Amino acid sequence: MKKHLLFIFLIVSQIALAEVRLPSIFTDHMVLQQKSEVKLWGWSDPDEEIVIIPSWSTTEYKVKGSNQAYWETIITTPSAGGPFTISINGNNIIILNDILIGEVWLCSGQSNMEMSAAWGIENGDEEVKNANQPKIRFYTAPKISAKFPQLNIVSQWEVCSPTTMKKNSALAYFFAKRLQEADPDVPVGLIISAWGGTPAETWMPEEVINNDTLLLKTANSLKPVPWGPVEPARTFNAMINPLIEYTIAGALWYQGEANVGSNNYTHTLPALIKSWRNLWKNDFPFYIVQIAPYQYGKNNFNGAIIRDAQRVVSMETPNTDMVVTSDISTIDDIHPKDKKTVGLRLANLALTKHYKKNNDLVNGPSFKKISVTKNKVNVYFDYAEGLYFNDKQLLFEVAGDDGKFYPAKAKVFKETIKVSSKKVKHPTKVRFAWGNTVQSNLFNKANLPASTFTTK
């Protein structure tokens, strides 16, 4: 009897091993990027023939398992729509149901990206109650780290409802809802891969860090913390690598608090952006949320340094932009509760810059350059229409060649700010909102704030 049971077990095991298998990014309710050549992949027996049939097309896609028990193929997606099915036929049959074709965004970073309505957000109960949005879908990676690159994440796509919205990224939800309002016929898929308290170094491939002396030095200086990994690539390996080549429209990034204290973020963040774009083989838009004013440690300027670094990266890295949050946050909370405004600002960036849906002013005043006339500094901005101060605080400072900054008076002249201080007769440098807890008081006609900045 035991021999018979063993024989049956071996037969069942062989059948199981022969089955076509998919990574969990391909499940019911998923969203595929519209009008694209998207990659599907999975595992099977070597040389097993697999036929893939999407319901939106008459084309059958045929592929065979490799000697590594792996297969992949490219299929063409139509314009936005659905629901559709995909049939994957090998030694077994898998049918994926309720598939939508639309726009897919990767949402990553720290706890402010991860933060859900269940954590506590402004007007959270009302937002949850009204979250029946079946054309918005969530795919959220669980917190998991790995020393080596992984091939799969244990998760699944979920349809947006009050129940699912409440536990998923609030910021990402409000971003998707705004996109939906602009074009209700286009579904939005949100891939959320975030972990509170993690530095940027954990979110990029280890070889990128090992091949860069400055990145390696910064990574080696990170101290262990109890709430998450700080070692290079640990979250990348487990929470980003399995997603590579799943076609996306772009990425949203809310991170930086865990890098406060580093003076190298202007080097670190572009390296991360470049590594992701290289792996996806796509220079997709990358939109940054600037960290909020907060008392980060004992040094009064570390938060300002990161905010300015994010500004510089957004200006100098192609197809990258940033939203400022200092006006919609409180200085005593590292987790600002107004996630709706942040999501709206990100979506408005995408609608204007990526989707070309409108010509709205969606950036705050962005520092451009200075010129000096006697003892006055002229500060020039992009997106400077309708410049105004909303209070009389002296947030501009000037310095001479000695590098000592003093508070300065500032006046608006059309699209320029004229700055001066009686204590600096020959100014050469300017900085603005330069402090951990300083909230911007300079806005443009779109009521969007200027970023912290300093001249070199």
Side-chain angles (χ1 to χ4, degrees), residues 169-365:
S169 168
L171 184 157
Y173 166 75
F174 290 122
F175 170 82
K177 187 180 178 186
R178 173 71 183 100
L179 294 188
Q180 270 274 284
E181 290 169 354
D183 197 339
D185 294 328
V186 180
V188 181
L190 300 167
I191 301 174
I192 303 158
S193 186
W195 189 333
T198 49
E201 289 79 4
T202 70
W203 291 99
M204 67 178 83
E206 189 167 10
E207 61 268 22
V208 172
I209 293 174
N210 289 339
N211 292 329
D212 186 304
T213 302
L214 185 56
L215 288 177
L216 188 59
K217 179 181 177 181
T218 304
N220 288 337
S221 71
L222 294 168
K223 306 298 183 185
V225 295
W227 51 79
V230 299
E231 299 89 347
R234 294 301 172 88
T235 52
F236 170 85
N237 287 339
M239 299 173 67
I240 295 295
N241 194 72
L243 306 172
I244 289 169
E245 297 194 85
Y246 190 92
T247 306
I248 60 175
L252 310 179
W253 179 252
Y254 197 158
Q255 191 276 340
E257 296 91 343
N259 284 91
V260 167
S262 168
N263 292 320
N264 299 325
Y265 202 68
T266 51
H267 186 75
T268 301
L269 184 53
L272 181 147
I273 297 170
K274 182 179 179 181
S275 71
W276 285 16
R277 287 173 171 172
N278 286 346
L279 290 166
W280 260 273
K281 302 179 180 67
N282 180 4
D283 290 332
F284 49 72
F286 191 99
Y287 296 144
I288 301 162
V289 182
Q290 190 180 67
I291 64 171
Y294 181 73
Q295 187 55 52
Y296 298 95
K298 296 180 181 179
N299 186 309
N300 188 45
F301 305 119
N302 280 341
I305 290 169
I306 292 294
R307 294 201 302 270
D308 188 50
Q310 292 173 317
R311 176 192 68 85
V312 171
V313 172
S314 72
M315 291 177 59
E316 296 183 352
T317 308
N319 204 17
T320 302
D321 219 316
M322 183 185 75
V323 299
V324 179
T325 64
S326 67
D327 63 318
I328 52 173
S329 58
T330 58
I331 63 175
D332 60 350
D333 191 349
I334 201 171
H335 299 117
K337 300 300 187 290
D338 183 358
K339 290 294 183 276
K340 185 172 185 176
T341 303
V342 184
L344 293 177
R345 288 180 180 178
L346 285 167
N348 287 334
L349 270 184
L351 289 169
T352 297
K353 302 294 182 75
H354 181 62
Y355 294 114
K356 315 297 183 186
K357 294 286 186 182
N358 54 50
N359 296 312
D360 294 345
L361 182 59
V362 294
N363 295 87

Side-chain angles (χ1 to χ4, degrees), residues 9 130 144 168 181 216 228 284 289 360 379 390 398 444 448:
F9 173 77
N130 295 320
I144 186 168
N168 281 295
E181 290 169 354
L216 188 59
F284 49 72
V289 182
D360 294 345
V379 186
N390 71 345
V398 295
N444 60 16
L448 294 170

